[in-house]
Structures are given as structure tokens and as C-alpha cells.
Amino acid sequence: MKGIMIQGTSSNSGKSFIVTGLCRLFHQMGIKICPYKSQNMSNNSFVTHDGCEISIAQAVQAEAAGLKPEYFMNPILLKPNNNSSSDIILNGKFFNKPAEKNYYKNFTQTYGIKAVKDSLNIIKNNFEAVIIEGAGSPAEINLNKYEIVNMKIARLANVPVILTADVDRGGSLAAVVGTLELLGEDRERVKGIIFNRFRGDIDLFKPAVQWIENYTGIKVLGVLPYVEDVSISGEDSLSINDKKKFSKINIGVIKYPGISNFSDIDLFEKEPDTSITYIDRLDDLNIFDAIILPGAKDTLRALHWLKSNGLFDAIKNFSGFIFGICGGFQILGLEVDCSESLELLPLKTKLDGTKYTSQISGSLYSDLSVKILGYEIHVGGSICCYDNKKYLPLFKINSQAEGIITDDFKIAGSYVHGVFNNDRFRNKWLNRIRHEKKHGERPIYDTSTVKNDSYNKVAEILKNNLDINFILELLRHEDTNFQRE
């Protein structure tokens, strides 16, 4: 099939950033391009129009390519439970066995490889070309026999590979040379190298580029600058910034183990007067105007973690605004599976093993003109006790009450992921905080335009710093001389 694959010398080397930018750039050129990652590991997920679950990174790439996200763009999603086990989402649906010790032997070579082949066939038959994202490094020789995310995928799709290295973390020259040394026969698939996240005077790096080309015989396609003012939704917790930053409105986000869908918080970074800080230990919460409890892969584990480090009592006694999303919403209730929770909202949660995934549309219960779009991903359900005085429904979804909010708007929660991606709702919530702090209210911040501008800016950065004509030649050329799987 026609396409290219972006692999990295390490995790977090910028593969997702490059794939997203190329998806937008080729979309601008009128190419019907499809993003693809055979297997992703992330608790940041998205629900497609037909109720399938994929990594949010591929959903973002689809959006950049002008497409609706589909399950075949990420047929295998691993959602970590702990250091040794992950839930498997296969073709968008929950698989009945977790990824544990024998995952590579028992799953990847049976259900996994079939899903990969089927999804690649769908893409081949419906798109002009594919941009495939690898995972981690292709030089993990201990996994070569069973992996289905790096060079095995390049062979199955029969596409050339572009290798990217992160200059900012240091050691990028050694990382490139070492990776190529360990690739064996697959080394011939690598047709280009990209150096990513370079800071400083590019002239100082030109001798390194020349040396790499002479030593490896592989063309360097460009050096991308370190970019600070453009962001796309992160796919894992490596991209969470833990540094404290303060503005007029300061929001603390609880970073418990197994934090999921922290992309729900991303757009607060775009608000001109708002900052977010991730909290992973007992802190003085009074420095914040609001606390958000995001999704949690394992609500009971997150609840135990809060109790063990003192944050449980600190949140319970916090006097500012509090909002819980999904697992965070469950934690705000009276109990979760008979375990005492924060008792800040009147709901009881039972984790009965039933998983719900669906897209959501509705409105704010108190103002039907404020529309809500998002999605649900949760296990079990909750019983909410409204009293029409202090505790009120937050949203109206399909004529049903959803979520809870106190009459003073101070404490609220919902199962809806992406709730703060709705500009009018986010603005309404922030203006309540601004009003309490005696700041002037701000107009609605149009994040749909900001997101689109971000995709365009990433595409422009790639266009200005990479040999796009060479990449286009790779994309459009099917080489029958490549070794096939």
C-alpha cells in the first residue's frame, strides 16, 4: 500500500506531533490520507461515532486529516491497570482478557495480528495513502519476534520508514546510530531521519547532520525546532507538565495513579487568564481557586491513594470550586462499591463490571441553550439523589438528568468526558470563578478555531523545516523490492 511510517528512537520523541502535522499538510494538498497506529498504550481515549474506543492521539490525527475517527485507525488500545497488566480494547471494544505476562505470545500473534491485517486492508481499500505511527523504539530486540507495532507493521504495509530523534533530551546522534545498528535487515526500510525539538543556533547543528548522513548513508529530512506555543492532545502521562504556573484563575488537577483522559483539561491552558497545575502529593490546596478530579482508570485505587497521602481530607475541606469527571465524579459521591468517598455529592456508585462507551449530546440542565458534546467511558454506574434545592442535575442528556451540581455552582460532577471542550460551558464555569474572585467576566474563547489553527501551524512548521517533496515521493511510491512479512 502507499504510505510512510514514522518511528522514533524512543518514546515521546515527537512521533504523534509529526504524524498530526503531516496529516494536516497532506489534507491541505487534497490527499485522502489516513492516520494509523496498530497498537497504542494510553489511558487517554476517545469514543467514535459508533461507540468504539480508540486512543485520543489517533482521534486528533483523524481530525487533522479532515476525517471522523474510526476504530480501524487504532485497532488495539492497551489501557494500563498497573505496571504488569492492561485492559485490551480490540477493534474498539473491550476484550475479555487482560494483557499480562503472555500477551505477546498469546494475543499479538492471534487476535492482534488479525486485527492489524484487517484494519490495514480497510485503509488500503478506502484511502490514497496511510501515515503509520510506531510505538516506543523499533530497536527493542527482545520484542522483535512478537511485536506488532513497529517494523512488523512496516513490512505488512510495505511502506518506508522515517526515523525521528529528540534532540532536546540529549544523545540524539547516538540514539539514531544505535537504533539503526539494531534493526538488522529492517535497516533498509529507513529512508529518512528527522531531528526533533532542536533549540538554539541551527548552524551549530549542521555538522552533526552532515556527519549522520555520511555515517549512515541515510538522508536527514530536516531539523524541527522546539515548539512551545503549539500543543496537541497528549496520549500519555509523559506529556503532563507538573510545574506550578499561576495566573488570575488557578486550577489544581489531581494526578492520581492511572489518571485517564487528562486531555479533558487541555483547553484550560488556552484561556488567557487561567493556569493548571497537576497535584500528585499533599499540597496547600488553598492556593487554587478550583480543583478538578479527572478520570481514573481504577476509581478504587485512586480513592485509596487519596486517603493514603492526605489529599482526601484536603479536598473534602477545600472551600473553592470542585469538578469531578467520570472516575473523579464517582469519588465526589457518598460511596464507591461500599468504600467511603468524599461525600460532597449525593451519589452512590456500583462498579459491576459493565462498561459503557458512547458519544453524548445534550445541554446544560439550567440553560438549554448551552449545548454539550462529549463521550462516556466508564465501568459501572451511579445513582444520583436530586432534591431540587441544594443538589440539582447538571446536564440534560436524551431527556434524562445527568451529573450533579450544587445550587451555588461550587461542586459539580459528570460522566461526560470532553465536557470542558464545550466553549460555552467552560466559559460559564470559569466566569463563576471570576465573579467570586471579583475579576471581570471574559467572553467565550473559541477553541475550535484555536485547534484548527494549531493543526495548521504544525503543518506549516513541518513544511518549512522538512524536505516535503522527498516525503511525498516516499508516500506515493510502492517499492516491490522490500522484504514482506
Side-chain angles (χ1 to χ4, degrees):
M1 62 196 302
K2 293 182 179 181
I4 55 173
M5 184 170 192
I6 307 297
Q7 297 184 6
T9 58
S10 66
S11 295
N12 207 33
S13 61
K15 296 184 291 291
S16 295
F17 178 86
I18 293 170
V19 171
T20 303
L22 289 176
C23 280
R24 173 49 58 98
L25 184 59
F26 295 148
H27 174 59
Q28 291 171 340
M29 294 177 177
I31 300 171
K32 191 178 181 184
I33 196 81
C34 183
Y36 182 74
K37 188 165 185 173
S38 56
Q39 174 188 282
N40 208 333
M41 178 175 281
S42 176
N43 277 325
N44 247 10
S45 60
F46 176 87
V47 176
T48 65
H49 62 96
D50 53 355
C52 291
E53 192 176 357
I54 65 172
S55 168
I56 203 165
Q58 277 61 67
V60 165
Q61 290 162 3
E63 187 175 57
L67 303 170
K68 288 193 303 184
E70 303 279 3
Y71 79 89
F72 55 76
M73 297 171 181
N74 175 215
I76 303 169
L77 174 62
L78 303 180
K79 303 186 73 173
N81 294 315
N82 49 50
N83 291 334
S84 59
S85 176
S86 299
D87 286 339
I88 301 172
I89 309 299
L90 179 65
N91 291 327
K93 301 298 182 182
F94 182 76
F95 188 68
N96 60 6
K97 293 181 180 179
E100 294 180 320
K101 182 178 179 180
N102 294 317
Y103 168 77
Y104 286 101
K105 292 181 180 178
N106 296 341
F107 179 86
T108 63
Q109 306 307 300
T110 53
Y111 298 98
I113 196 66
K114 182 182 185 304
V116 167
K117 290 177 178 179
D118 289 346
S119 56
L120 285 173
N121 280 331
I122 291 173
I123 294 171
K124 183 177 181 179
N125 293 331
N126 290 278
F127 297 88
E128 291 180 57
V130 64
I131 303 180
I132 304 173
E133 180 182 340
S137 163
E140 307 291 348
I141 57 176
N142 54 308
L143 300 178
N144 282 353
K145 184 176 179 180
Y146 301 110
E147 67 92 3
I148 53 171
V149 71
N150 283 311
M151 281 300 179
K152 182 169 286 188
I153 302 305
R155 293 195 297 270
L156 280 171
N158 200 25
V159 296
V161 171
I162 296 172
L163 186 66
T164 182
D166 182 0
V167 179
D168 189 57
R169 71 172 58 187
S172 60
L173 302 182
V176 169
V177 171
T179 298
L180 292 172
E181 281 293 314
L182 293 173
L183 289 182
E185 293 181 357
D186 285 318
R187 186 186 189 281
E188 68 179 88
R189 284 195 175 271
V190 181
K191 301 299 182 183
I193 296 167
I194 295 173
F195 287 102
N196 191 28
R197 300 191 183 117
F198 178 80
R199 304 177 192 246
D201 184 354
I202 189 65
D203 287 336
L204 297 177
F205 198 66
K206 286 180 179 177
V209 170
Q210 188 63 56
W211 184 87
I212 279 288
E213 289 188 328
N214 292 339
Y215 187 84
T216 66
I218 299 172
K219 180 180 175 63
V220 174
L221 304 182
V223 180
L224 296 175
Y226 190 95
V227 180
E228 293 186 289
D229 59 344
V230 175
S231 63
I232 56 175
S233 291
E235 64 178 280
D236 56 43
S237 57
L238 287 175
S239 60
I240 290 180
N241 185 352
D242 292 316
K243 295 180 180 178
K244 283 188 174 66
K245 300 184 296 182
F246 293 102
S247 187
K248 286 187 176 181
I249 305 298
N250 301 300
I251 301 173
V253 181
I254 305 301
K255 185 186 172 185
Y256 19 64
I259 179 175
S260 66
N261 284 72
F262 59 83
S263 53
D264 288 337
I265 318 299
D266 285 350
L267 290 180
F268 285 111
E269 294 277 25
K270 304 294 185 183
E271 293 281 353
D273 65 341
T274 303
S275 69
I276 60 172
T277 300
Y278 284 88
I279 303 166
D280 61 1
R281 60 183 63 85
L282 184 60
D283 205 340
D284 179 11
L285 298 188
N286 291 321
I287 64 177
F288 300 106
D289 303 301
I291 296 296
I292 295 177
L293 284 77
K297 181 64 175 62
D298 185 333
T299 303
L300 288 175
R301 180 187 178 201
L303 187 55
H304 175 75
W305 178 83
L306 290 172
K307 292 177 179 178
S308 68
N309 63 18
L311 277 170
F312 183 88
D313 290 330
I315 296 169
K316 195 166 186 175
N317 296 319
F318 180 65
S319 60
F321 288 73
I322 301 176
F323 200 102
I325 304 172
C326 198
F329 176 42
Q330 294 173 341
I331 289 171
L332 290 179
L334 302 172
E335 61 181 48
V336 179
D337 267 5
C338 299
S339 294
E340 178 193 9
S341 49
L342 286 168
E343 299 181 336
L344 295 175
L345 292 176
L347 75 152
K348 295 183 179 181
T349 298
K350 185 68 175 177
L351 305 176
D352 60 5
T354 305
K355 185 164 185 175
Y356 301 89
T357 58
S358 63
Q359 287 196 343
I360 294 295
S361 63
S363 59
L364 188 63
Y365 204 92
S366 60
D367 184 352
L368 298 181
S369 69
V370 179
K371 301 303 180 184
I372 300 296
L373 295 174
Y375 50 95
E376 285 186 332
I377 309 171
H378 60 91
V379 174
S382 302
I383 297 175
C384 302
C385 302
Y386 307 110
D387 63 7
N388 295 320
K389 293 181 180 180
K390 183 176 182 181
Y391 299 106
L392 308 169
L394 179 57
F395 298 130
K396 189 173 185 178
I397 309 291
N398 297 327
S399 300
Q400 300 293 317
E402 198 283 332
I404 304 176
I405 190 167
T406 54
D407 58 349
D408 59 2
F409 220 76
K410 293 291 286 285
I411 304 174
S414 168
Y415 272 116
V416 181
H417 287 292
V419 59
F420 287 118
N421 293 350
N422 295 277
D423 292 345
R424 288 192 65 191
F425 175 76
R426 187 183 65 257
N427 179 256
K428 199 174 186 75
W429 189 71
L430 285 174
N431 276 341
R432 288 279 186 154
I433 302 173
R434 291 167 181 139
H435 178 76
E436 176 140 320
K437 291 195 70 178
K438 296 181 170 51
H439 296 319
E441 293 187 355
R442 294 188 63 90
I444 294 172
Y445 192 72
D446 181 4
T447 53
S448 61
T449 299
V450 170
K451 279 204 305 180
N452 195 56
D453 288 347
S454 292
Y455 297 148
N456 290 338
K457 187 164 184 178
V458 175
E460 189 69 15
I461 290 169
L462 269 55
K463 183 179 179 180
N464 292 338
N465 293 279
L466 300 181
D467 188 338
I468 297 300
N469 288 331
F470 186 89
I471 295 174
L472 277 170
E473 288 181 14
L474 293 178
L475 185 80
R476 290 168 168 161
H477 182 63
E478 291 185 274
D479 192 339
T480 57
N481 294 321
F482 276 149
Q483 170 192 348
R484 297 303 302 273
E485 181 67 14

